[in-house]
Amino acid sequence: MAASASARPEYTPAQLSSALEGYYGGPAASAATCGHIHGFGDPDHELSVLQRITATTILDYASRSSDPSAVDGLLEGSRRFRAEHGPVLSLRDVVQARSPCMALAAEFKRASPSKGDIAPHLDAGDQAVAYSAAGACVISVLTEERWFKGSLADLTCARLKTTAAASSGQTARPAILRKDFITSKYQIAEAAAGGADTVLLIVATTPSNVLKELIDFARSIGMEPLVEVHALVELDVALSAGARVLGVNNRNLHTFKLDLSQTEKVAEELARRGLAFHHDKCCSGESKPDMTLCALSGMSNSHDVQRYRTAGVGMCLIGESLMRASDPSLAIRG
């Protein structure tokens, strides 16, 4: 596990830029692998908040990510965790099993860069159990420490308490998603050792060759990752890398502009390419679609959810409103 936020160093703009340049491939970086990345090739580009967070994560994990024996140790830890607490759940299977109903991913997020503190005092496990009891089949846990005040301990707590609730017959166990700024196999192995079923991979900050490596590695240890896109150029990268569970962030994380039509644009493009993803097909008696489409931000009411269901979306992720609700179960059912 990385050091606590308070113990971590602060990095200069030059260090952050250098970290990203190395991640992109250094002098060998090209438009073929990085052309979709905001500001790539522009010597005057100023890093966005998303890029600063990603670069900081790279530097925080630098020594661990480069040590193969550390990854091996985490993988052994994941095997022990699964032996004791049960096998990993496939994100795609969990979402498709909810058809024809829309699957809900409920998020545990203590803070954010744009909103500051949201609910830093809450217990991740108790909140996850409440979400699950109200119908959420996926629990997204923010584990980034500096800006979101999360931790891997939050994720493990959510996994253990929802597993206990499921064992007692209260509800089916939800899939646990590690939502963070994943740039290395180490972080995926770390998530698995902490009890995660899946991880978020953000195309906007990830070179195409690295994205494929991370997807393949996640699958090699039983995880089906959630691959996040915003623009259609990112969809090309995700599909080429073999993504099966696509999440559309309606918010541009570089500019923070929200456009709820982004999910529908991606759905239309998938249909145009003849790719099967429609959620209703999962319960039609036919073979299930190879892909699942999820909407990851911006939903504020039932109308938004219904418009995405019509477009074939299988899962919507709801975050901040549930964290601020005095009764998250009531907020979900309402």
Side-chain angles (χ1 to χ4, degrees):
M1 186 182 298
S4 67
S6 59
R8 287 174 170 173
E10 295 298 322
Y11 304 114
T12 66
Q15 287 175 309
L16 296 176
S17 294
S18 178
L20 284 180
E21 289 170 9
Y23 182 53
Y24 297 162
S30 69
T33 57
C34 300
H36 64 286
I37 294 175
H38 179 59
F40 178 76
D42 178 1
D44 299 320
H45 172 64
E46 184 175 336
L47 300 185
S48 67
V49 172
L50 173 62
Q51 290 171 324
R52 293 200 302 273
I53 295 174
T54 302
T56 299
T57 301
I58 292 169
L59 292 169
D60 282 344
Y61 276 92
S63 60
R64 300 168 183 81
S65 299
S66 60
D67 183 357
S69 65
V71 173
D72 291 341
L74 288 168
L75 293 181
E76 178 57 33
S78 73
R79 287 187 283 270
R80 290 195 301 269
F81 189 100
R82 293 172 184 180
E84 182 176 356
H85 302 291
V88 68
L89 300 178
S90 163
L91 177 62
R92 182 173 59 168
D93 289 351
V94 167
V95 173
Q96 291 185 343
R98 287 300 177 105
S99 177
C101 297
M102 176 79 79
L104 170 66
E107 189 158 271
F108 184 81
K109 178 168 62 175
R110 296 184 182 280
S112 77
S114 59
K115 301 294 180 64
D117 285 356
I118 297 172
H121 61 286
L122 293 180
D123 181 273
D126 292 345
Q127 191 82 349
V129 169
Y131 286 163
S132 180
C137 62
V138 177
I139 308 297
S140 170
V141 183
L142 260 295
T143 59
E144 196 281 330
E145 295 186 357
R146 291 179 183 250
W147 285 271
F148 293 88
K149 298 187 178 180
S151 69
L152 278 165
D154 283 340
L155 184 143
T156 301
C157 184
R159 170 63 194 275
L160 292 178
K161 287 194 176 183
T162 53
T163 297
S167 297
S168 67
Q170 296 178 43
T171 182
R173 183 173 84 77
I176 304 297
L177 163 71
R178 181 184 188 182
K179 193 172 184 184
D180 208 318
F181 301 85
I182 304 291
T183 61
S184 66
K185 295 177 182 178
Y186 180 95
Q187 290 169 279
I188 297 175
E190 185 181 52
D197 296 287
T198 183
V199 295
L200 179 73
L201 301 176
I202 304 174
V203 176
T205 56
T206 310
S208 59
N209 58 317
V210 176
L211 180 66
K212 178 167 175 50
E213 290 174 4
L214 296 179
I215 290 174
D216 290 347
F217 178 73
R219 288 185 182 143
S220 76
I221 61 172
M223 288 182 164
E224 185 60 52
L226 174 61
V227 181
E228 177 184 306
V229 303
H230 173 72
L232 292 183
V233 66
E234 295 168 11
L235 176 62
D236 289 334
V237 174
L239 293 176
S240 295
R244 295 174 188 153
V245 183
L246 287 168
V248 182
N249 196 331
N250 293 305
R251 192 179 305 279
N252 183 321
L253 292 180
H254 299 294
T255 65
F256 291 102
K257 181 180 178 181
L258 182 66
D259 180 1
L260 291 179
S261 70
Q262 285 301 120
T263 295
E264 291 159 323
K265 291 175 183 176
V266 170
E268 290 168 1
E269 182 61 18
L270 291 175
R272 189 187 70 79
R273 298 186 187 196
L275 298 173
F277 70 93
H278 204 290
H279 192 53
D280 287 350
K281 296 293 185 182
C282 299
C283 64
S284 65
E286 306 172 16
S287 59
K288 292 183 178 181
D290 290 335
M291 303 186 68
T292 292
L293 184 62
C294 310
L296 303 185
S297 61
M299 288 75 68
S300 60
N301 53 53
S302 60
H303 172 74
D304 294 334
V305 174
Q306 182 56 41
R307 69 185 278 190
Y308 291 145
R309 181 179 177 183
T310 301
V313 170
M315 182 185 86
C316 284
L317 185 148
I318 309 295
E320 183 181 332
S321 61
L322 297 181
M323 289 295 291
R324 294 188 185 278
S326 57
D327 185 343
S329 299
L330 182 61
I332 289 173
R333 294 189 177 103

